[in-house]
Amino acid sequence: MQEISSALKQAAKSVYETDIEPEISRPEAKFGDFSSNIALKLAAQLKKPPREIAQALANALSQNPNLAKVELAGPGFINFWLTDKVLAESAQAATRPAQALAGQEILVEFGDPNPFKEMHIGHLYSYIVGDAIARLLESAGASVRRLSYHGDVGLHVAKTIWALKQASGAAEFQLADGLAADTMIGNYYAKGAEAYEQSPSAKDEITKINHLIYSGQDPDIKNIYEQGRELSFKAFDNILKLLDISNDRRYLESQTAEVGKEMVQKNIGPVFEESDGAVIYPGEKAGLHTRVFITSQGLPTYEAKDLGLTSLKDKDYPGARRSLIITASEQSEYFKVMLAALAEINRSLAEKTTHLAHGFLSLSTGKMSSRTGNVYSATNLLAKVKERVYAQYPDSAQKDEIYLGAVKYGLLRHHLGSDIVYDVEESVAVEGNSGPYLQYAHARACSILAKASELPAEPAAIESYEPPERLLARKISEFPEVVAGATAELAPNQICNYLYELAQSFNKFYETSRIIGDPRAGLRLKLVESYSQVLAGGLKLLGISAPERM
């Protein structure tokens, strides 16, 4: 695509002495491998009929050795067909991504579950989509720092600690291992949350515990707090390890509170205003709404803490080119105000900070409540999908790879901002647009290659493609463009869409093209090899394994 763009640009300069950046697209296969509307764009500038311009540019490109055919279409479109040799080379080189972001450091904050609470499915989605975005950026050469931010202070902590004290009668408890730790935390938080709502005496006790957490003056509360925070992060790490998702650094609200408060106080007047003892940002001046950054009690709000977080990130990673924050869409308006305030304090820091909003995740069964009454836990969903996969594929040695692939693909195939209704049965199906379907497609390709390796080598020196072969080679060759587009738009779903279409293209090829034992076996095996490599590479970008057998 880049070479055709350059050739068109050079032709326009040679024929019409004009500089223009051509737009190149992928039309339907019957209309060529690439198409451009450059003549339509030049028509007004040159005051010539677009078809006349298109014909002149097509004539200039007619001797290009990489092009088999150049044709005009419609009012002035130019369609291009690559030679089969060039198309074959493109298919074989499809796994080599362009390093468009080489040398750039990019921060990606995602996940962000709060300690002393159970990780819910919204956090699970944020972790999975954040990891996929980080993988895309890394594939383009960026140095990505995976970050997370956690609310380690607040009433939710006090509620959990109250329940722990009630259960143990002392200020100590044992740290749990495995995913059970997350469930244990959820149980304690649920008990504390229920007591806070239903018992005035418990509410008073929890309020006192909350003050003691901030002051650090009670050794028993401090001990439970420190152990509980350790237990929480241990539980989160167990889930992340299972998902093969890494985390470079955790930031805590207890670290950002004073930093953010100081930023607000230093900017009262030019940025913030005092109102009834509180400090606010009058968002109306930026076309937004007003929010409180310091309460009338002198406490920094989430908004102030997020300002502090941007400052800490900038201090720790001063060379970062971009800073991405991935959260649920319900926080979009909040982030608009926070970033508007940040822009008045530090415009360059605000300009490199971007909030990416993902949609709401629910289950097709409609069940969203768990022990806490309003969330469905990440461990519950993982266990449900695992149970279904183990029942459906009892003899497979790759059951864990399959169920994790089902969860990840089932979430990533949706557009980032859209709400998702997750269907367990659909996600584990080996037919249709699912993770297991693509994993099976890769395993089948590996099986073909394995059988062929046991036979004498077939010559691959065939000069031209048959139609089914060409269609598959064309689809394989699209991979670098798809990755570049998905990276630029931070849209992992584009990789999912492409991989599903690629597998369907292979199925059509396989239905009509015998491979092993055919005179064209050598050429076709090259295609199968390129196909399997691209499929595996695409799944890797999604954080999904590509098993060689199912």
Side-chain angles (χ1 to χ4, degrees):
M1 179 178 284
Q2 186 57 48
E3 290 177 9
I4 290 176
S5 178
S6 297
L8 262 180
K9 183 176 181 178
Q10 182 59 42
K13 189 169 185 64
S14 174
V15 176
Y16 293 111
E17 298 183 346
T18 184
D19 285 316
I20 187 171
E21 290 298 330
E23 293 180 4
I24 309 295
S25 61
R26 287 270 191 179
E28 292 181 42
K30 63 183 179 181
F31 298 123
D33 297 319
F34 298 99
S35 182
S36 178
N37 65 349
I38 185 174
L40 298 173
K41 293 181 66 177
L42 285 172
Q45 176 183 336
L46 299 175
K47 296 182 172 50
K48 293 177 179 289
R51 196 167 178 88
E52 177 185 326
I53 298 171
Q55 185 63 66
L57 295 177
N59 291 341
L61 292 170
S62 61
Q63 301 303 312
N64 189 305
N66 294 330
L67 297 175
K69 184 167 60 172
V70 182
E71 285 188 353
L72 273 57
F77 290 95
I78 309 175
N79 295 335
F80 307 89
W81 281 260
L82 300 176
T83 66
D84 287 353
K85 180 176 182 295
V86 169
L87 186 58
E89 291 171 352
S90 298
Q92 291 173 26
T95 55
R96 303 172 199 162
Q99 300 293 287
L101 301 178
Q104 293 190 26
E105 183 179 40
I106 300 176
L107 313 182
V108 185
E109 178 203 321
F110 57 100
D112 299 349
N114 289 333
F116 296 93
K117 292 177 74 173
E118 201 167 10
M119 185 191 293
H120 60 66
I121 56 176
H123 297 130
L124 179 70
Y125 177 37
S126 178
Y127 269 125
I128 289 172
V129 77
D131 178 63
I133 287 173
R135 288 171 183 264
L136 282 171
L137 295 170
E138 287 171 336
S139 75
S143 297
V144 177
R145 311 302 176 202
R146 291 169 164 81
L147 311 176
S148 57
Y149 180 49
H150 310 269
D152 63 329
V153 289
L155 268 178
H156 71 282
V157 180
K159 291 172 183 177
T160 305
I161 289 179
W162 179 88
L164 284 165
K165 285 176 67 66
Q166 299 301 307
S168 64
E172 296 180 358
F173 59 94
Q174 296 297 313
L175 297 181
D177 289 321
L179 301 183
D182 194 53
T183 302
M184 186 186 83
I185 293 166
N187 284 332
Y188 281 118
Y189 170 73
K191 291 174 183 177
E194 182 179 11
Y196 184 84
E197 296 296 330
Q198 298 183 3
S199 170
S201 61
K203 184 174 182 178
D204 288 342
E205 291 176 24
I206 290 170
T207 302
K208 291 176 183 176
I209 290 172
N210 193 36
H211 287 296
L212 291 171
I213 292 169
Y214 276 98
S215 69
Q217 294 176 350
D218 186 306
D220 290 343
I221 296 298
K222 184 177 181 180
N223 184 42
I224 294 180
Y225 171 77
E226 290 175 351
Q227 289 195 65
R229 191 167 69 176
E230 181 183 350
L231 173 62
S232 293
F233 287 130
K234 189 175 184 180
F236 298 160
D237 285 340
N238 285 329
I239 296 173
L240 295 182
K241 182 178 180 181
L242 177 69
L243 296 169
D244 190 27
I245 295 175
S246 62
N247 183 286
D248 295 313
R249 189 169 195 145
R250 285 192 174 109
Y251 289 95
L252 308 175
E253 276 189 27
S254 58
Q255 299 170 327
T256 65
E258 289 305 313
V259 178
K261 183 178 179 179
E262 183 179 353
M263 290 174 69
V264 174
Q265 290 174 330
K266 283 184 176 179
N267 288 278
I268 295 175
V271 179
F272 301 97
E273 297 177 3
E274 294 182 301
S275 175
D276 298 326
V279 181
I280 65 168
Y281 176 74
E284 286 76 11
K285 63 181 177 179
L288 302 167
H289 61 280
T290 293
R291 295 190 76 96
V292 176
F293 277 67
I294 299 179
T295 69
S296 57
Q297 291 78 38
L299 299 175
T301 61
Y302 289 119
E303 291 83 349
K305 293 172 185 175
D306 265 311
L307 284 179
L309 177 60
T310 64
S311 179
L312 290 180
K313 287 180 182 177
D314 192 47
K315 180 181 177 181
D316 293 333
Y317 303 99
R321 184 77 62 87
R322 300 170 68 188
S323 178
L324 308 178
I325 304 170
I326 302 172
T327 75
S329 56
E330 62 194 24
Q331 297 187 44
S332 293
E333 294 304 311
Y334 162 88
F335 271 100
K336 288 178 183 179
V337 176
M338 191 279 289
L339 290 173
L342 179 63
E344 293 193 46
I345 300 170
N346 186 330
R347 178 162 295 279
S348 63
L349 183 54
E351 287 176 346
K352 73 177 183 180
T353 303
T354 303
H355 174 239
L356 297 177
H358 63 72
F360 180 74
L361 174 61
S362 61
L363 303 182
S364 61
T365 58
K367 180 183 178 184
M368 278 299 298
S369 63
S370 68
R371 291 170 300 280
T372 60
N374 59 8
V375 300
Y376 196 88
S377 75
T379 51
N380 278 353
L381 179 60
L382 291 169
K384 181 180 281 290
V385 179
K386 180 178 181 178
E387 179 183 15
R388 188 67 193 87
V389 166
Y390 271 55
Q392 186 165 330
Y393 309 97
D395 299 324
S396 174
Q398 284 73 40
K399 291 190 287 290
D400 287 344
E401 294 179 66
I402 296 171
Y403 94 79
L404 292 171
V407 172
K408 290 186 177 183
Y409 189 87
L411 300 179
L412 293 173
R413 71 186 184 92
H414 298 275
H415 181 269
L416 182 61
S418 64
D419 291 340
I420 299 173
V421 179
Y422 184 87
D423 188 308
V424 173
E425 294 299 323
E426 182 181 83
S427 73
V428 304
V430 78
E431 296 179 356
N433 192 5
S434 72
Y437 168 74
L438 294 177
Q439 288 175 315
Y440 175 75
H442 180 263
R444 183 169 68 163
C446 290
S447 176
I448 294 170
L449 293 172
K451 290 178 181 177
S453 68
E454 299 171 359
L455 302 173
E458 297 279 357
I462 296 174
E463 294 297 324
S464 61
Y465 281 136
E466 291 182 349
E469 298 164 349
R470 195 176 204 287
L471 286 173
L472 178 58
R474 184 180 186 272
K475 195 65 184 178
I476 293 170
S477 72
E478 292 177 20
F479 184 57
E481 300 155 32
V482 173
V483 174
T487 304
E489 297 178 31
L490 303 175
N493 66 295
Q494 294 181 14
I495 302 295
C496 297
N497 295 340
Y498 167 78
L499 293 181
Y500 182 55
E501 292 173 1
L502 176 65
Q504 290 181 310
S505 295
F506 180 79
N507 289 342
K508 292 176 182 177
F509 159 79
Y510 192 65
E511 287 171 1
T512 59
S513 306
R514 188 165 67 102
I515 299 174
I516 297 175
D518 191 271
R520 302 178 67 84
L523 178 145
R524 291 175 179 174
L525 284 169
K526 283 285 187 184
L527 280 173
V528 176
E529 182 179 38
S530 296
Y531 162 73
S532 68
Q533 290 173 349
V534 166
L535 192 52
L539 289 172
K540 185 177 180 180
L541 289 174
L542 302 175
I544 298 173
S545 69
E548 294 186 1
R549 56 176 60 112
M550 293 276 281

